Amino acid sequence: MLRHRRLAIIVSILGLVSLAQAQQKAKAAHIPTPAESVGFEVGADRKLADYRQIATYLKALAAASDRVEIETLGKTTLGEEMVMAVISTPENLRNKAHYQEVARKLADPRGLTREQVDALAGEGKAIFLLTCNIHSTEIGSSQMAMEWAYKLATAQDEETRRRLGDTIVLLVPSLNPDGQIMVTEWYKKWVGTRYEGGAMPYLYHHYVGHDDNRDWYMLTQIETKNMNRAVYHEWFPQFWLDEHQMGANGPRIYIPPNADPVAKLVNPLVHRGNNLVGADMGWRLEEAGKSGVIYGYSFDAYWPGGTRNTGWWKNMYGVLTEVASARIATPLEVAPTELQGGAKGLITYEQQINFPNPWPGGVWRLRDIMDYELLVSDAALETMSKYRKELLRGVATMARQAMDSAEPGTVWRIPIEGQRDPITATRLAALMVEHGVEVRLSGDKKSFLIPTAQPYGRFADEMMGIQRYPEVRPAPNSGILEPYDVAAWSLPLMMGVQAERVRLTPAELSAAAVTKDIPWPAAGLAGTGKYYTVADQQNNAFALANAMLKAGSQVFVSRKAGETPAMIFAAHPQLAVNAEKLHLRLQSLAELPKEAVPMKAMRVGIYKSYIPSIDEGWTRFVLEQYGFGVKNIENKEVKAGNLNNAYDVIILPDSSREAVVDGRSSREGYFEELPPEYTGGIGRDGVRALKDFVEKGGTIITLARASEVVMGDEFNLPVRNILSSATERGRGVQTADFNIPGSLLRIYVDTNHPVGYGMPNEVAAFYDGPIAFQTSAPAPDVQRSVIAWYPNEARDILVSGYAHGAERLERKAAAVSFTKGKGKIVMFGFRVQHRAQTEGTFQMLFNAIYWGGM
Ligand SMILES: [Zn+2]
């Protein structure tokens, strides 16, 4: 009783406080405009507000308006505060927690009757998430966000009031604040010069650049995690609109419907909902006299890696818009003769039913981008308001259908024991929980179980199963539609985790408890001794090796014929705590086996070009995650030579030879000029310096296309890429003959080679080619090894995704190594650490680094 009374008092105090806040806000006579806050007209030519100004403005708006609140999503990679404005009527905001609860129940309607769902859909508010500017150079939406927030906070007309009464808007002005700041700083630095509006010579995210929108099923980056938490654990928005920009010479805006192909497991109601929104967007744009509106173009309904796409498999409506770009904030004049189609849905730039009113060309500016974006944001809000009840009910319907269509008792089972890397297997289960998927621990505590009969069951099936890309042809005898991005995302295969789809008895299923806190494998030191050992087939063993070497302790790798290699650690005061932290269980050893070889702390340099390589960022990210000491090397340092003084290993991330050697992004034609300090590549001098580095004992690791850098005359290695231009009479292999756009392929690994230590004999490797190594007999001073190779028969090559022309990979090498002088070269033709997703092959990269010191 007492507790209740106290609670009542607290509630009434809270009520008074919020009432007082509301009165205070009402008293603030003036709601600041964006221009008053930032000091210039937002959207004017050559003017940009940076993220800090935008966040400051939204906070000022929240302080002055009772329709706006601010939530903090978390910190960014570089420590900025990620904000989200919550915009609705004051009444809805007061009942925010209640509407979140309604949304959560509709997303997971288990236990509710049809009538209860109907009542909740009637009572709930449409929760509408609008995310802006995930791609930092697509700057318009970050500026538009201020204007739209101001409009929603101040408009007094009936229409706006009705829309706000029906919805709660979650407005994220930038999904990558760090990059927004980099781009605005770069733009301001060069405005008024010949480099105004030009390319930046580095990635616009500390690690992943443009790939921040390729991270939404793996959730590796902090910004992705922050948004994911708000979406699938706090707000459960029914609708997600993500506003982007595209190229400058085609249509002015892309709206739904999406282009083909379409993913089998996404509920068709998702597309029906999206198309309702798209229809209203198109109508309002035409009504406002905006030309160049296209749908069914370029952006498919198949790939789950981007913001709102991932949500489709979780019964969420999600729409992408893409507006044509200017040169950042600088107007761009497009001549009518420069307008072009060339993408799926618009082969030639002509009037057609999905493009009824082509833009005629002319000047295109930031203001135009923002005007189109304001119109589609309003249209989406209007659709949410008009179809509120139906759309909310639809989410519950989709969740029901996901459960009804699942085979009863079917689960994805991830055994905990018997995994090559039990920690990575556990990480997969934890990732599913982070996605909002229900994961259970089996009654005997030996497996994680993911029931397919759950609201997000289709998401689980998509992520745990394998892909077969649909070969959709737009016309008879035409080629197939190309995938938008990669064609495979089978998480167990990419992570090297065993999982199977099995059917449980009702008793087995009910014995399995839902678990939110995934238990990690038992960790620490078992027994006491001078040494401790752990199987060298767990990625975290490398993190422990790096930590202990950094602490000045000794680490060894030991390999007896026919046995799993082991990593051996000398006893050290920090060993137990580090092992605990990394979930590793170490066994004591009385003495050091005689075959143990010491591991040396390696100084790793990652080459960084001014033609930014996203793979450079991902490589740096993965190595930092595992505690490797890495440093970037830029052109000047490479050219200066004497690289052995500072590095033991140099990694050349995926880049073309032109980008690395000449600093050019393409073989021929126009490319954007960078300011003088950023022009050129490592040049011939740099290539010679790399060769000198190897001869004096250094190790070079090349990733994917970067193998071309060491395949020239300078190194004279007995290897060629049979799919590269050099062997195909001046042009590369054509996609009509060979097309593997990001798939998982079977490779065999030589586990006796130090780069293959601890690996299984056969593994799924991520491949986006076109690379197939062919080695030949070397000169006497060179040794060559094939570390991994593709199967003899094309039909055995594809594991998940899409592979056309796989016969060209038959019996070809996937990874090779050379020793030359005192040093080594390792070339990976497949994507060994692709987007930090391929944990199943990370170890080969880690091995290659440590091989350099053996
Ligand atoms: Zn984009």
Side-chain angles (χ1 to χ4, degrees):
M1 280 307 282
L2 187 65
R3 262 187 73 193
H4 284 158
R5 202 179 305 153
R6 199 179 290 163
L7 201 65
I9 293 167
I10 291 170
V11 168
S12 65
I13 290 172
L14 284 175
L16 285 175
V17 170
S18 64
L19 192 67
Q21 275 175 349
Q23 280 166 347
Q24 231 171 13
K25 282 187 179 181
K27 260 188 254 168
H30 181 69
I31 295 178
T33 65
E36 285 165 353
S37 179
V38 302
F40 56 84
E41 202 56 48
V42 173
D45 290 350
R46 298 182 176 81
K47 293 285 183 195
L48 285 177
D50 71 21
Y51 182 78
R52 291 172 193 141
Q53 290 175 295
I54 296 167
T56 301
Y57 175 66
L58 292 176
K59 286 176 186 170
L61 201 58
S65 163
D66 55 5
R67 295 183 191 173
V68 184
E69 289 180 2
I70 294 289
E71 286 191 5
T72 301
L73 296 172
K75 292 272 193 231
T76 65
T77 303
L78 299 181
E80 294 294 324
E81 189 186 26
M82 257 178 110
V83 299
M84 175 169 85
V86 183
I87 308 175
S88 190
T89 62
E91 298 73 32
N92 290 348
L93 290 179
R94 269 198 294 281
N95 294 311
K96 198 167 82 170
H98 173 66
Y99 292 122
Q100 283 177 324
E101 183 60 14
V102 172
R104 194 186 60 76
K105 283 183 177 159
L106 289 169
D108 183 356
R110 283 179 285 189
L112 299 178
T113 63
R114 193 171 287 275
E115 291 70 30
Q116 285 170 317
V117 165
D118 255 5
L120 285 171
E123 180 194 344
K125 301 300 171 193
I127 298 179
F128 167 16
L129 171 61
L130 171 54
T131 52
C132 301
N133 185 238
I134 185 169
H135 291 147
S136 309
T137 49
E138 301 166 15
I139 200 80
S141 58
S142 70
Q143 313 294 300
M144 181 278 301
M146 291 187 283
E147 287 187 346
W148 201 50
Y150 176 74
K151 185 186 166 198
L152 295 180
T154 55
Q156 296 300 333
D157 59 284
E158 267 313 300
E159 191 178 57
T160 307
R161 285 165 170 275
R162 168 179 53 81
R163 288 173 179 173
L164 288 179
D166 289 333
T167 59
I168 298 176
V169 175
L170 308 177
L171 174 62
V172 178
S174 175
L175 270 176
N176 177 12
D178 297 341
Q180 206 277 355
I181 292 169
M182 291 177 202
V183 165
T184 48
E185 278 178 356
W186 181 259
Y187 180 80
K188 286 174 184 171
K189 181 173 174 186
W190 297 104
V191 75
T193 75
R194 60 173 298 185
Y195 306 110
E196 174 178 320
M200 229 170 44
Y202 40 84
L203 296 172
Y204 55 59
H205 177 279
H206 184 64
Y207 294 116
V208 304
H210 201 73
D211 275 359
D212 57 358
N213 202 27
R214 309 283 182 266
D215 190 43
W216 293 81
Y217 46 79
M218 205 65 192
L219 308 178
T220 67
Q221 301 301 305
I222 186 83
E223 295 83 1
T224 326
K225 286 171 174 291
N226 288 340
M227 192 74 249
N228 179 79
R229 189 187 332 103
V231 172
Y232 301 111
H233 295 272
E234 292 164 12
W235 276 100
F236 303 92
Q238 293 89 19
F239 175 61
W240 186 336
L241 171 60
D242 195 33
E243 298 195 5
H244 287 243
Q245 287 171 220
M246 56 184 175
N249 293 343
R252 295 300 94 186
I253 187 170
Y254 158 80
I255 57 171
N258 285 72
D260 272 313
V262 65
K264 228 181 227 165
L265 291 176
V266 171
N267 194 303
L269 268 187
V270 166
H271 301 303
R272 298 299 178 191
N274 293 348
N275 298 351
L276 273 181
V277 176
D280 200 54
M281 286 176 169
W283 199 88
R284 279 164 202 276
L285 286 160
E286 299 292 354
E287 188 197 22
K290 304 294 184 195
S291 60
V293 181
I294 195 165
Y295 68 83
Y297 172 72
S298 186
F299 309 98
D300 72 27
Y302 184 72
W303 169 71
T307 51
R308 77 281 148 201
N309 314 52
T310 309
W312 291 343
W313 280 259
K314 301 183 190 176
N315 315 316
M316 185 192 290
Y317 315 101
V319 163
L320 164 76
T321 60
E322 298 264 358
V323 181
S325 295
R327 283 176 68 79
I328 310 293
T330 301
L332 183 67
E333 189 173 353
V334 182
T337 51
E338 288 166 1
L339 288 165
Q340 47 186 269
K344 91 176 97 161
L346 188 74
I347 305 305
T348 50
Y349 192 90
E350 276 170 345
Q351 185 184 34
Q352 46 185 55
I353 189 60
N354 64 335
F355 190 50
N357 181 16
W359 184 65
V363 177
W364 187 251
R365 36 174 43 100
L366 178 62
R367 186 66 261 168
D368 295 313
I369 297 168
M370 293 165 61
D371 287 344
Y372 276 59
E373 287 173 341
L374 286 167
L375 282 160
V376 295
S377 304
D378 274 337
L381 187 63
E382 173 64 17
T383 314
M384 289 300 106
S385 167
K386 214 174 253 169
Y387 292 96
R388 179 187 57 84
K389 188 172 174 182
E390 291 88 339
L391 291 169
L392 264 57
R393 196 176 60 217
V395 167
T397 302
M398 289 189 272
R400 276 256 159 76
Q401 288 175 351
M403 290 184 281
D404 292 346
S405 63
E407 301 157 65
T410 301
V411 298
W412 283 100
R413 191 166 76 90
I414 307 173
I416 298 168
E417 287 169 16
Q419 295 278 357
R420 178 166 73 98
D421 185 343
I423 300 163
T424 303
T426 307
R427 186 174 290 133
L428 174 55
L431 173 62
M432 286 292 126
V433 171
E434 196 173 356
H435 270 296
V437 171
E438 180 185 297
V439 178
R440 300 188 186 196
L441 190 59
S442 64
D444 61 8
K445 312 255 188 286
K446 286 187 174 164
S447 304
F448 297 113
L449 304 174
I450 305 171
T452 59
Q454 62 169 306
Y456 292 177
R458 292 182 182 186
F459 176 77
D461 264 338
E462 185 70 37
M463 290 297 136
M464 300 293 292
I466 62 164
Q467 282 75 46
R468 282 290 175 264
Y469 185 71
E471 301 197 7
V472 177
R473 289 178 164 75
N477 307 320
S478 73
I480 68 152
L481 293 174
E482 297 282 321
Y484 176 71
D485 190 72
V486 298
W489 36 84
S490 317
L491 295 181
L493 287 172
M494 285 204 293
M495 297 172 78
V497 171
Q498 284 177 44
E500 50 180 356
R501 208 167 183 273
V502 294
R503 199 153 169 180
L504 301 184
T505 64
E508 285 171 321
L509 196 60
S510 64
V514 174
T515 170
K516 297 246 183 225
D517 279 317
I518 294 292
W520 290 90
L525 307 182
T528 39
K530 279 169 75 181
Y531 296 96
Y532 293 86
T533 179
V534 70
D536 170 26
Q537 53 183 8
Q538 304 176 72
N539 291 340
N540 274 14
F542 289 86
L544 185 61
N546 289 328
M548 296 318 297
L549 289 171
K550 202 179 266 176
S553 189
Q554 289 175 299
V555 185
F556 306 84
V557 64
S558 161
R559 193 172 185 288
K560 259 191 229 155
E563 279 182 22
T564 305
M567 225 182 253
I568 297 168
F569 297 85
H572 186 278
Q574 286 176 34
L575 186 59
V577 59
N578 281 325
E580 289 275 356
K581 205 164 67 188
L582 294 163
H583 314 296
L584 287 164
R585 180 90 171 149
L586 274 57
Q587 197 64 45
S588 65
L589 270 187
E591 57 188 57
L592 194 64
K594 56 182 184 310
E595 56 281 337
V597 180
M599 290 170 73
K600 271 173 42 194
M602 302 304 282
R603 300 167 302 165
V604 181
I606 303 179
Y607 171 69
K608 185 179 186 177
S609 150
Y610 297 127
I611 311 292
S613 158
I614 303 179
D615 193 50
E616 178 277 314
W618 281 118
T619 308
R620 187 160 34 85
F621 175 74
V622 168
L623 294 182
E624 282 182 15
Q625 290 292 300
Y626 285 90
F628 285 89
V630 294
K631 244 189 83 192
N632 273 131
I633 314 178
E634 299 189 358
N635 293 336
K636 216 162 78 182
E637 194 180 351
V638 179
K639 281 189 201 166
N642 294 320
L643 293 160
N644 304 73
N645 293 343
Y647 304 100
D648 303 303
V649 175
I650 292 176
I651 298 177
L652 303 178
D654 180 42
S655 263
S656 68
R657 184 180 165 99
E658 287 76 16
V660 177
V661 179
D662 308 326
R664 290 178 64 115
S665 54
S666 61
R667 261 164 230 270
E668 56 210 46
Y670 174 82
F671 64 98
E672 271 191 81
E673 222 174 301
L674 290 164
E677 59 267 46
Y678 302 105
T679 54
I682 62 173
R684 291 275 165 162
D685 290 349
V687 180
R688 277 190 289 272
L690 290 173
K691 186 185 168 204
D692 181 57
F693 170 73
V694 171
E695 279 170 350
K696 289 181 176 153
T699 294
I700 287 181
I701 300 171
T702 68
L703 304 180
R705 285 175 302 160
S707 57
E708 295 170 9
V709 177
V710 295
M711 270 190 200
D713 303 343
E714 304 88 350
F715 282 80
N716 194 24
L717 296 171
V719 62
R720 61 195 182 110
N721 172 11
I722 58 130
L723 298 179
S724 88
S725 55
T727 56
E728 300 270 318
R729 293 200 195 90
R731 62 191 173 91
V733 64
Q734 302 295 300
T735 49
D737 302 328
F738 182 85
N739 186 9
I740 306 183
S743 296
L744 287 156
L745 306 186
R746 179 173 287 109
I747 60 170
Y748 301 113
V749 181
D750 177 1
T751 57
N752 292 316
H753 190 289
V755 176
Y757 278 5
M759 290 294 294
N761 294 315
E762 188 185 319
V763 72
F766 198 87
Y767 181 91
D768 60 6
I771 296 171
F773 296 131
Q774 174 83 64
T775 54
S776 51
D781 63 329
V782 172
Q783 281 182 342
R784 59 90 172 77
S785 308
V786 174
I787 304 165
W789 59 96
Y790 299 103
N792 289 347
E793 303 279 350
R795 64 167 184 269
D796 297 329
I797 293 177
L798 179 67
V799 184
S800 181
Y802 176 67
H804 173 65
E807 62 280 359
R808 286 171 174 252
L809 296 178
E810 288 174 354
R811 282 183 307 277
K812 294 296 175 292
V816 293
S817 73
F818 304 89
T819 57
K820 189 175 171 64
K822 293 180 185 162
K824 304 178 182 96
I825 296 162
V826 178
M827 299 179 183
F828 290 105
F830 64 94
R831 305 300 301 273
V832 69
Q833 52 22 309
H834 188 248
R835 295 177 181 166
Q837 297 171 357
T838 55
E839 300 196 22
T841 53
F842 282 1
Q843 182 170 354
M844 294 180 79
L845 176 62
F846 301 164
N847 279 339
I849 291 171
Y850 274 114
W851 185 39
M854 283 173 194

